[in-house]
Amino acid sequence: MKAGKSSKIYAGLCAALLASALNASPAFAQGATDSWFGLPLPGPATDAQIVRDARELPPIPSPFAGTVPEFDGAEAHRRIVDIVNFSYEARDAGDPFWGRMTGSPSYNKTIDYIEATLKSWRVPGLSRHVVPFYGPERLPTAFQANVVMLDKSGNEVERLALQSAFPLRYVMTAGADGKPVLGAQRVAAKAPLVSIGRGNLVDIATRDLRGKIAVASIPAEPTPFYSEYRQIADRAAAAGAVGLVLAWSTPGNMQIALANCKDIPCVNLGGKDGAFLRALMARAEASPARELVMELGVDTEARDNKTTTILVTKVPGQSAANNIVVFAHADAYLSGANDNASGVAILMSLIKYYSKQKNKYDIYFVVSPGHHSNTQGSKPFVDLNPQVPAGNLLTINIEHVAQRGIARSQFGFLDNKLPGNYDEDPQTYVFMNADSTLREVQLSHANNEKVAKIFRDAITSNRLISPARIVQSTFQEVGPIAQGGGITMQHVETSLLYHTSGDTPDTVSPVTLEGNALFYKTLIDNFSKTSKEELLN
C-alpha cells in the first residue's frame, strides 16, 4: 500500500496507540484555526513533495544495458516495491517506530521473501542462520508530540498532535552499577518552547534552555548523514533542556528518522509541522492572551539477548585460495526503498546471475542484518566463516545506490516571512537525473594503484559516477573483513530523502538499478582475473 492511501488510517492508529500507551488525551483535536492564530493546520504525515510533471533529464544507462537478462531493472524495481510494502504493513498496523528494524516482524517478512524468491530460482548454496545481537538495544514503543495552547490563567484552550513526529533513536543508558538499564523506560516533558536556531554551539550558548523544550530548525542538507544534527540532543540536554524538537525544512510533511537521544524526549518533525510550529511560536510570543507549551513523551524498551537472521548464498568457485563477498543489509528505517531495498534487489540480481556461472573463486552473497541495530554489520557472517578475511580478494557493500537524482527547487521560503506563507509549499523536490555527484566510493586500498585502477575503469566504463571520487576508507559494515586484510568497498549516496518516509519506490530508478548491477559485475569479473597476492605485492 502506498503511503498516500493510508495516511488517514495511520494517523488514527497512532492517536489510539498514544492515548492508551501514554495516557494522553484521547481527543487529539485538530481544532479550529482561530485557536491557532488563524494558521492553517499542517495535517497528516506525507511522503516527499516532488514535482513529477517537470521536465526530467533521463537516467544515464550503462553502455552494457540489456546484455544481462538477470539484471533487468524493472524486475529489480518490483522487488523493491514488495520489500517496502513490509514497512507499510508495519506502519498501517500502528507500529510507531515503523520500518524494517532488525528482528522485527517486518524484517523477518523481508528475509522470508528473499529466501523464498531465491529458492524459486533454484539457487544452490543458500543457507539461513540465526545470529545474535552483540549487545542490548533501546527502541521507541510509543510517543507523543502535542502543542497545547493555554490562556494566561494556565487553562488548556486547545491541543494539536503533530502527525509527522517521529522519535529519535534512543541510545542505551547505564545504571549506577555501570550495567545497561533494561526494560521499559519513559521520558516525558510538558514545557514552554525556545528556539535554538540550527542548534550549533553558539545558538545553544546564547539561549536559556533550562526547563524548556528546545526547537532546532534543521535545513535539509544534500548529505544529511554528515550534518551537525547528531550532536544537538546532547548539547541541549547539557544546557538544561527537558526536551528537543528537530524541525526539518523538508518538502511536504515527511517523517524523518535521524539523530540519537538519551535522557530527554526528542522528536523529528517534517516540513509542514516544523514550519507550523515555528510560526505558532512567533505568534504566541506576541500574544498577550495565549501561552504555548508542548507535550513530548517517548516510551522505549531496552532488550538484551536478541537474535536475528542472515541469509548466505555461497557460489563455489574453481579455487578457494581467494574469495569475494557481497553484502546488502535488509533492515531499514521507515519506507527504506533506496536504503536499502535497492541494495537487496541488486544483490538478488547478482545471485541470480553468478549462481549460473563457472566462477574462478568462491563468492559469498550475504543478506545482512545491517547496522541500524547492534548486529555489527559483517561480524555475524565472519563468525560463521572465520576463514574468509584472510583470503578475501574483494568485499562489496551495496547500500542506497539507486536514488533518482533530486534537487530542491528552493532552499527557503518565498519571501522569508515564515508565518504568512509556510503552508504554501514552496519547497519542493524536482527530479533531475539518476546519478549524483554526491555519491562517493569508499575503498580500503585506494592508495594501491592497481586496486584503484580496477575501480576507476569499472566506474568509467559503466558511466556510473561523474566525477568519480575514490576515498581511502573502511566502514562499519565490513569492519571484521577489512581488519583481516580484505579489500573492501562501497559507493553510497545520502540524498535528501535519506532516512525519511519519502524514500519510496518511485524515487528509485530501474535504469540505475541495472547500471549498478553491471558495475558490480565488472568489479567481480576484473578482480577474478587476478589474485590478492598479485594486487598487494
Side-chain angles (χ1 to χ4, degrees):
M1 184 182 294
K2 290 188 176 180
K5 294 182 179 179
S6 54
S7 58
K8 292 182 179 179
I9 297 173
Y10 172 55
L13 286 167
C14 277
L17 176 64
L18 294 176
S20 60
L22 295 172
N23 297 316
S25 168
F28 285 153
Q30 289 292 311
T33 57
D34 59 358
S35 298
W36 308 104
F37 302 106
L39 291 170
L41 301 182
T46 68
D47 294 340
Q49 179 182 318
I50 296 177
V51 176
R52 300 178 187 278
D53 56 355
R55 185 176 297 277
E56 181 182 354
L57 295 175
I60 303 170
S62 166
F64 311 113
T67 61
V68 181
E70 291 85 355
F71 295 170
D72 178 68
E75 180 185 340
H77 193 272
R78 285 191 289 272
R79 296 197 286 272
I80 290 174
V81 173
D82 291 340
I83 291 171
V84 171
N85 277 337
F86 298 132
S87 285
Y88 291 151
E89 287 178 14
R91 179 202 57 192
D92 295 342
D95 184 351
F97 202 66
W98 63 278
R100 302 186 298 278
M101 295 301 295
T102 307
S104 69
S106 54
Y107 173 88
N108 294 335
K109 288 180 181 179
T110 302
I111 294 294
D112 291 343
Y113 166 82
I114 298 167
E115 182 181 40
T117 303
L118 297 180
K119 285 182 175 179
S120 73
W121 295 341
R122 298 183 179 179
V123 169
L126 173 63
S127 59
R128 179 172 180 146
H129 306 272
V130 175
V131 296
F133 279 55
Y134 294 94
E137 71 169 357
R138 183 182 175 196
L139 291 180
T141 55
F143 64 94
Q144 66 181 149
N146 303 325
V147 286
V148 182
M149 192 66 70
L150 308 175
D151 62 25
K152 285 304 180 181
S153 298
N155 299 311
E156 184 173 318
V157 176
E158 192 70 82
R159 67 172 50 221
L160 177 71
L162 299 179
Q163 295 182 50
S164 72
F166 199 79
L168 273 62
R169 181 67 183 262
Y170 275 76
V171 300
M172 290 299 303
T173 55
D177 58 0
K179 295 180 179 180
V181 177
L182 302 178
Q185 301 173 61
R186 188 185 189 215
V187 288
K190 183 176 182 179
L193 298 163
V194 58
S195 172
I196 57 170
R198 293 193 179 186
N200 60 36
L201 290 170
V202 173
D203 287 328
I204 291 178
T206 54
R207 272 93 164 170
D208 181 6
L209 274 60
R210 291 171 296 179
K212 298 175 184 176
I213 293 172
V215 179
S217 299
I218 311 298
E221 299 178 0
T223 55
F225 181 80
Y226 302 104
S227 169
E228 203 178 16
Y229 71 86
R230 291 170 176 265
Q231 288 79 42
I232 295 176
D234 287 344
R235 292 172 181 171
V242 296
L244 174 68
V245 174
L246 299 181
W248 291 81
S249 297
T250 53
N253 209 23
M254 296 189 298
Q255 292 187 291
I256 299 167
L258 287 166
N260 295 322
C261 194
K262 185 178 181 182
D263 296 321
I264 60 175
C266 303
V267 299
N268 291 289
L269 292 182
K272 276 182 171 289
D273 278 341
F276 171 80
L277 181 62
R278 290 189 293 264
L280 190 61
M281 290 170 65
R283 296 197 179 187
E285 185 177 1
S287 170
R290 301 283 176 84
E291 180 182 359
L292 182 67
V293 298
M294 193 165 193
E295 289 179 340
L296 291 181
V298 181
D299 277 34
T300 62
E301 185 172 359
R303 302 173 184 172
D304 203 359
N305 300 318
K306 291 183 66 177
T307 60
T308 188
T309 306
I310 67 171
L311 295 176
V312 180
T313 301
K314 180 181 179 181
V315 181
Q318 299 170 15
S319 169
N322 290 153
N323 62 75
I324 292 171
V325 183
V326 186
F327 287 98
H329 72 80
D331 62 331
Y333 291 118
L334 302 166
S335 311
N338 192 44
D339 182 15
N340 188 38
S342 69
V344 171
I346 293 171
L347 181 83
M348 295 171 71
S349 296
L350 293 169
I351 294 172
K352 192 175 187 181
Y353 172 78
Y354 279 102
S355 64
K356 303 174 184 177
Q357 309 305 311
K358 291 183 178 179
N359 305 297
K360 182 176 180 180
Y361 299 122
D362 293 346
I363 307 178
Y364 297 86
F365 296 96
V366 186
V367 180
S368 84
H371 49 251
H372 296 142
S373 294
N374 193 4
T375 53
Q376 298 187 22
S378 61
K379 181 171 172 51
F381 167 74
V382 173
D383 287 347
L384 291 166
N385 300 274
Q387 80 286 354
V388 164
N392 181 249
L393 176 64
L394 173 66
T395 292
I396 297 170
N397 183 49
I398 310 177
E399 188 166 343
H400 37 96
V401 292
Q403 195 93 69
R404 295 169 72 177
I406 60 170
R408 292 282 294 281
S409 62
Q410 295 190 32
F411 286 88
F413 295 95
L414 288 175
D415 55 11
N416 293 320
K417 295 180 180 178
L418 180 64
N421 67 1
Y422 79 91
D423 61 308
E424 294 174 12
D425 298 331
Q427 301 182 91
T428 57
Y429 293 141
V430 178
F431 283 134
M432 299 298 286
N433 67 39
D435 229 346
S436 169
T437 55
L438 295 174
R439 195 168 285 147
E440 179 177 85
V441 173
Q442 294 173 287
L443 176 59
S444 64
H445 291 68
N447 295 333
N448 180 304
E449 181 54 34
K450 289 182 286 186
V451 172
K453 185 178 186 306
I454 295 176
F455 280 91
R456 285 197 300 268
D457 290 348
I459 288 166
T460 55
S461 65
N462 285 280
R463 301 175 186 167
L464 188 65
I465 305 173
S466 179
R469 294 192 301 275
I470 301 178
V471 178
Q472 174 79 25
S473 174
T474 56
F475 44 96
Q476 175 185 341
E477 190 74 15
V478 297
I481 295 180
Q483 292 163 14
I487 299 172
T488 63
M489 72 81 59
Q490 70 176 6
H491 75 111
V492 299
E493 178 183 37
T494 53
S495 77
L496 290 161
L497 300 180
Y498 174 72
H499 283 195
T500 73
S501 58
D503 183 11
T504 56
D506 59 347
T507 67
V508 177
S509 164
V511 171
T512 310
L513 287 168
E514 181 183 22
N516 273 277
L518 288 162
F519 164 67
Y520 294 123
K521 176 183 180 297
T522 302
L523 282 181
I524 293 170
D525 291 350
N526 288 346
F527 267 87
S528 296
K529 294 175 183 177
T530 182
S531 69
K532 189 172 182 178
E533 183 179 11
E534 290 171 327
L535 284 174
L536 301 184
N537 295 316

